Amino acid sequence: MIIDLNNIKSDPFQNKVFDICICGGGVAGITLAVNLSKQFNVALLEAGGFEYSEESQEVYKGRIIGREYYPLEETRMRFFGGSSNVWAGFCRPLDYYDFEPKKYVEYSGWPINRNDLDPYLEKAKSILDIPDDKEAPKDQFTHLLNKSADFKKIDFWFSKPTNFGEKFGNEITNAENILCCLNANVTDIILSEDLSRVKKIKVQNYAGKSYMLNVKTFILAAGGIENARIMLNCNRQIKEGLGNSTGLVGRFFAEHLHYAVGELILEDRFRNCNEIRTYAAPSERFMQKENILNLGLRIIRCNQNSSQYSFKMKIKNILCEWSPDLVESVFSSKCRYADQLMDRVVRIISEQAPNFSSAVLCDAEVDKFKMRRAALDWTLSPIDVRTIKNGVIHFGKTVASLGLGRLKVVQWLLSEDPKFPGIREDETGGNHHMCTTRMGTSPKNGVVDSNQKVFGIGNFYVAGSSVFSTGGHANPTFTIVQMSLRLADYLNKYN
Amino acid sequence: MTKHTRREFLSFLFSTTATCFLSAPLLNLSTEEGDDDFIQVNGWILKKSDLYV
């Protein structure tokens, strides 16, 4: 059943106790609601309506106080379906290595491993409408790349992309055990007197009318920035906010760094390799040897006409490009062939190391519900820069040594202290907001435990990419679905 | 001189490693030679043997 809190006369929550209350009708919240409603009565609270509205989206406004980033009201969606309304559909589980602690990365490692999520892989693929695996065409480029000890070809799956609001809207409407409330803004989480359990949830519609829900279990699934903002704002009973006894809520904000890092010319024998995109990633051995993080390279076909030039001719043109001054002086014209050379553009999607200084904080300015707005202090670490620089240069050496082609690395990356392009010059990030309520082994290194339960609060869970301990390089949606299925499984068994 | 012959001329100019390494500093090129088989020139990661094309 779905109701709109903006258009309701009586209190829909009066005299009711919900087994499960979920804040957030995005990928995580909808997956949880659908998979918990067989056993429990569920309240699903969505802050927006069925469609985009300025009124709801405005609540997402915030301030960028660190490294340049997208406006906070543009980098996420605040209506039913959440950011699945706008995503691109890239899917891939995290690598086994992503879960392991690394001696060279502080706070690295998860309390769970990839085997804990693998049982949910097939169901996640089904939810995300990922077609059955087709055998990838075998091409010589891939075959040779896999001979490298340092890089390997990787695959992505592609969702339609699934819009969770559209896919599950009818099921939720017809579900007897789900009460989905649109335009329901969670403005307080009220704990029991001994502060050990969530007791009530306060919600408000856009007219400011308040309602209270009695809950047995509460799951916060409002997104990587909003989860932290809500926990920090709910500080009426605990001054530092909920789950924040060690000051980690909002900390460790991580993104996937997205940049064009080079252009590739292919040797002639790969001209018939028509794959539009090829994906590569470093081996574990290489990451350990170089002390770098995980990264993905997207090698994208860019120039259909370039095949008219042979590989040797392209190399000659490259050599001409070395000496524009000489060409200028001798022939009074510059050698300009570069735009006709390139066969592939290479983009990187790179992991960011856990970084306490990179954080979602609360600003002084408040939204219409008197909740402090988000202030994003996104910060990088030296290892983030080193990962991109070493990874790309070594990929260039790998493709050259394997006889695949030659890579031209963008100039800014080769400088001693690379200054990354800004958001007007390149993508910068993937709109992936991760790790702000990270999973840890104790409150010293995390906000939630291995079952996504907030340390110290018995019936308070967090879902979504905010609970990632680290981000790997894969787009987060697939892992969000896997982890939501795992949490639903846990609550169905033990709640 | 046609574009083609200009390319051929420059190809000839850089036809030996020695010429290239001698020429690079004079031409104010951004080069970085590692201990391995590769050389970075103006962003290109090339095999040293590429200089013989």
Side-chain angles (χ1 to χ4, degrees):
Chain A
M1 180 183 180
I2 295 186
I3 60 169
D4 185 340
L5 219 54
N6 274 352
N7 300 318
I8 202 138
K9 289 174 183 166
S10 59
D11 183 343
F13 312 119
Q14 204 170 22
N15 303 323
K16 285 184 183 167
V17 179
F18 292 92
D19 296 326
I20 307 275
C21 175
I22 302 166
C23 168
V27 169
I30 288 176
T31 302
L32 282 158
V34 168
N35 285 279
L36 286 166
S37 61
K38 311 275 185 299
Q39 195 168 323
F40 302 110
N41 69 324
V42 175
L44 177 61
L45 307 174
E46 166 53 50
F50 265 132
E51 306 287 339
Y52 174 93
S53 75
E54 293 290 341
E55 187 177 44
S56 173
Q57 203 65 28
E58 193 277 338
V59 178
Y60 270 170
K61 279 188 177 173
R63 200 154 60 98
I64 306 298
I65 58 174
R67 164 183 187 74
E68 189 182 22
Y69 196 64
Y70 310 113
L72 296 185
E73 73 276 21
E74 293 177 13
T75 188
R76 48 204 176 134
M77 284 291 135
R78 202 171 188 268
F79 64 104
F80 192 63
S83 294
S84 77
N85 286 291
V86 292
W87 74 304
F90 277 81
C91 288
R92 179 179 162 78
L94 291 173
D95 296 328
Y96 289 92
Y97 187 64
D98 290 326
F99 294 86
E100 295 173 14
K102 296 149 191 79
K103 285 179 184 167
Y104 56 93
V105 184
E106 194 181 8
Y107 290 108
S108 60
W110 292 52
I112 60 173
N113 58 47
R114 166 77 186 257
N115 293 328
D116 293 305
L117 297 185
D118 277 348
Y120 306 98
L121 192 130
E122 290 303 324
K123 191 166 181 183
K125 286 172 79 173
S126 167
I127 288 171
L128 289 161
D129 304 305
I130 293 168
D132 289 337
D133 283 341
K134 290 178 191 163
E135 196 175 345
K138 288 175 183 166
D139 62 81
Q140 189 68 359
F141 184 92
T142 299
H143 178 69
L144 273 177
L145 185 61
N146 283 339
K147 282 192 169 181
S148 158
D150 296 336
F151 283 88
K152 59 185 186 298
K153 181 183 184 285
I154 60 167
D155 293 311
F156 277 87
W157 299 316
F158 291 94
S159 173
K160 286 197 299 187
T162 300
N163 180 316
F164 277 61
E166 287 176 4
K167 177 165 181 172
F168 294 103
N170 281 341
E171 184 175 343
I172 289 171
T173 303
N174 297 326
E176 287 181 8
N177 267 358
I178 300 177
L179 177 62
C180 176
C181 307
L182 303 176
N183 296 308
N185 299 275
V186 170
T187 55
D188 203 1
I189 299 166
I190 296 129
L191 303 183
S192 56
E193 281 182 19
D194 64 1
L195 309 178
S196 68
R197 297 182 67 79
V198 175
K199 207 173 163 188
K200 291 174 188 288
I201 303 298
K202 180 182 177 184
V203 295
Q204 287 179 253
N205 67 12
Y206 286 92
K209 185 167 174 48
S210 299
Y211 301 87
M212 283 287 185
L213 285 83
N214 297 303
V215 301
K216 291 182 182 172
T217 295
F218 179 63
I219 306 172
L220 183 58
I225 295 172
E226 208 63 0
N227 283 351
R229 185 174 88 100
I230 290 172
M231 290 174 79
L232 292 170
N233 262 290
C234 293
N235 63 350
R236 202 172 40 79
Q237 292 168 284
I238 303 174
K239 191 182 170 190
E240 63 269 21
L242 302 181
N244 197 30
S245 60
T246 50
L248 298 189
V249 172
R251 295 285 166 181
F252 303 104
F253 173 84
E255 244 284 15
H256 288 130
L257 297 159
H258 279 54
Y259 294 107
V261 287
E263 293 170 303
L264 185 65
I265 59 169
L266 296 174
E267 293 212 14
D268 292 339
R269 56 194 167 136
F270 303 116
R271 281 292 139 63
N272 295 327
C273 172
N274 285 323
E275 276 190 89
I276 295 170
R277 288 166 181 261
T278 307
Y279 306 98
S283 65
E284 290 180 21
R285 174 185 162 280
F286 179 67
M287 286 186 269
Q288 283 169 346
K289 187 180 74 179
E290 294 285 319
N291 285 359
I292 62 170
L293 306 165
N294 209 346
L295 61 96
L297 294 165
R298 298 182 183 178
I299 304 156
I300 305 158
R301 192 169 67 193
C302 66
N303 190 347
Q304 297 279 21
N305 299 323
S306 65
S307 59
Q308 62 186 289
Y309 295 93
S310 71
F311 181 71
K312 281 201 167 187
M313 185 59 81
K314 288 178 177 183
I315 291 291
K316 283 180 184 176
N317 285 332
I318 291 167
L319 297 175
C320 292
E321 287 281 307
W322 288 11
S323 55
D325 294 342
L326 179 70
V327 177
E328 185 93 70
S329 59
V330 175
F331 304 111
S332 300
S333 69
K334 284 201 172 185
C335 197
R336 295 179 187 278
Y337 301 103
D339 58 342
Q340 296 170 33
L341 293 178
M342 304 310 174
D343 298 307
R344 300 287 189 274
V345 169
V346 180
R347 298 192 61 82
I348 197 167
I349 288 80
S350 178
E351 183 178 16
Q352 180 177 358
N355 179 352
F356 181 84
S357 301
S358 185
V360 172
L361 307 168
C362 280
D363 206 355
E365 189 185 321
V366 295
D367 63 21
K368 66 175 68 180
F369 303 106
K370 309 291 183 213
M371 295 178 80
R372 288 169 294 157
R373 292 189 185 275
L376 179 62
D377 188 359
W378 182 29
T379 309
L380 299 185
S381 313
I383 191 174
D384 304 330
V385 181
R386 196 173 73 241
T387 293
I388 296 179
K389 187 170 180 175
N390 288 14
V392 172
I393 289 175
H394 201 83
F395 181 70
K397 291 180 179 180
T398 299
V399 293
S401 63
L402 292 173
L404 293 165
R406 300 293 182 271
L407 181 72
K408 183 178 188 182
V409 181
V410 289
Q411 280 299 328
W412 62 261
L413 187 56
L414 294 171
S415 66
E416 201 164 310
D417 181 21
K419 296 280 183 290
F420 290 0
I423 59 170
R424 286 164 202 82
E425 298 155 303
D426 205 339
E427 282 185 54
T428 298
N431 300 294
H432 303 156
H433 315 131
M434 302 175 287
C435 307
T436 51
T437 62
R438 72 193 303 266
M439 186 183 279
T441 53
S442 79
K444 287 180 183 171
N445 56 29
V447 174
V448 301
D449 67 13
S450 58
N451 293 313
Q452 299 177 220
K453 187 180 76 62
V454 175
F455 285 114
I457 306 180
N459 60 344
F460 186 178
Y461 296 82
V462 185
S465 53
S466 71
V467 300
F468 290 11
S469 304
T470 57
H473 76 80
N475 300 52
T477 302
F478 192 84
T479 307
I480 292 172
V481 174
Q482 282 183 295
M483 292 182 75
S484 300
L485 290 170
R486 179 175 176 267
L487 175 56
D489 217 9
Y490 175 81
L491 292 171
N492 278 324
K493 275 181 194 160
Y494 301 110
N495 211 31
Chain B
M1 192 178 282
T2 65
K3 283 182 182 177
H4 177 74
T5 53
R6 282 205 293 271
R7 283 206 302 274
E8 292 301 320
F9 172 80
L10 284 163
S11 176
F12 171 76
L13 181 67
F14 292 112
S15 62
T16 69
T17 308
T19 307
C20 174
F21 290 147
L22 283 173
S23 302
L26 295 173
L27 296 169
N28 196 26
L29 297 176
S30 167
T31 63
E32 190 174 318
E33 190 186 358
D35 298 332
D36 48 19
D37 296 332
F38 304 96
I39 181 167
Q40 267 181 49
V41 185
N42 284 4
W44 284 100
I45 297 172
L46 301 175
K47 290 165 78 171
K48 286 173 184 169
S49 59
D50 289 337
L51 306 176
Y52 293 100
V53 296

